[in-house]
Amino acid sequence: MVRVLASAVDVQRVVLIDRFLADMRSVPLSDLETNDRLYAMSGWVETVAYYATAVMFLIWLFRARANAETLSPWPHRRARPWLIFGWFTPIVSLWFPKQIVDDIWTSSKAGAIQETGSLATARRSGLVWAWWLTWWVTSFVTRGLIPLYANAKELPAIRDAALYGIAGNILTIAAAALAIAVVLTITRFQEDHRRVAFWPSPYAV
């Protein structure tokens, strides 16, 4: 929702700049000032929402990992500290977080353990792949926004930065939707294990 609102502010920014460049008298100065304030406010809200979401995701990741460890006959490939440090450590951040989620997925999905000889050789989820690739594309795009926004002084450059921001918001929304799907699916896998443990089938031998 925050990214949707931020995109709306960016769209308004583009429209106002286009109108101003076409005819300076067509855009009241108050409209530009209002958009500047909304733009600055949306940036702060996005930052707060980003870190709050990151904290909640990490809390879920630790809980899901703890549950997954009880379901797997093999140790997970990465120690628990990597659940945090894996996102920030150069180079290994390219694959450590995905490996962690892959191992949680395999350990949690019914029948997945029986299909493989180890967590390292298990079949990978297409959903996890889609989330991870979208996450990295989004990261590269949004990191490119920082110097673009910082250096944008002229109106055409500010307009281009806003368009770039809209693209970044769309990618972020897609990555967030896929992350939610991964979280909900793994949670469902683990809930299925819990239900079977508490209410075993009456036909089980």
Side-chain angles (χ1 to χ4, degrees):
M1 180 60 71
V2 171
R3 290 287 181 169
V4 173
L5 295 176
S7 294
V9 174
D10 282 330
V11 169
Q12 183 190 42
R13 198 172 186 81
V14 172
V15 171
L16 288 174
I17 290 175
D18 282 342
R19 286 173 54 196
F20 185 84
L21 292 175
D23 181 5
M24 290 187 296
R25 294 171 297 180
S26 67
V27 181
L29 183 59
S30 59
D31 287 356
L32 295 173
E33 292 174 343
T34 299
N35 181 262
D36 281 340
R37 287 193 295 270
L38 289 174
Y39 180 78
M41 187 183 303
S42 68
W44 281 106
V45 173
E46 283 181 87
T47 300
V48 171
Y50 174 83
Y51 285 108
T53 302
V55 169
M56 288 188 292
F57 180 79
L58 287 175
I59 291 172
W60 170 83
L61 194 62
F62 270 90
R63 290 176 176 174
R65 168 63 177 265
N67 292 336
E69 287 176 346
T70 67
L71 299 172
S72 173
W74 307 295
H76 287 233
R77 286 175 288 174
R78 304 300 166 197
R80 285 196 183 187
W82 286 113
L83 271 68
I84 294 178
F85 297 123
W87 296 92
F88 311 110
T89 306
I91 308 302
V92 300
S93 61
L94 290 170
W95 71 88
F96 270 28
K98 181 182 181 296
Q99 283 187 339
I100 290 168
V101 174
D102 279 335
D103 289 355
I104 294 173
W105 179 285
T106 302
S107 300
S108 304
K109 184 179 180 181
I113 290 293
Q114 290 74 20
E115 294 177 358
T116 184
S118 71
L119 292 176
T121 60
R123 181 185 304 173
R124 302 307 173 205
S125 161
L127 177 59
V128 175
W129 264 116
W131 158 68
W132 187 241
L133 293 175
T134 306
W135 160 260
W136 264 107
V137 171
T138 302
S139 297
F140 283 122
V141 170
T142 53
R143 286 170 187 169
L145 291 176
I146 296 174
L148 185 60
Y149 278 128
N151 298 326
K153 304 299 182 183
E154 302 296 329
L155 285 179
I158 294 174
R159 175 187 181 278
D160 291 343
L163 289 173
Y164 201 9
I166 294 169
N169 288 333
I170 292 172
L171 286 170
T172 300
I173 292 169
L178 289 168
I180 290 171
V182 170
V183 168
L184 292 178
T185 302
I186 290 176
T187 300
R188 176 171 54 82
F189 288 161
Q190 295 185 349
E191 284 295 314
D192 288 344
H193 279 286
R194 187 182 65 83
R195 280 194 292 269
V196 169
F198 278 96
W199 295 287
S201 170
Y203 303 104
V205 179

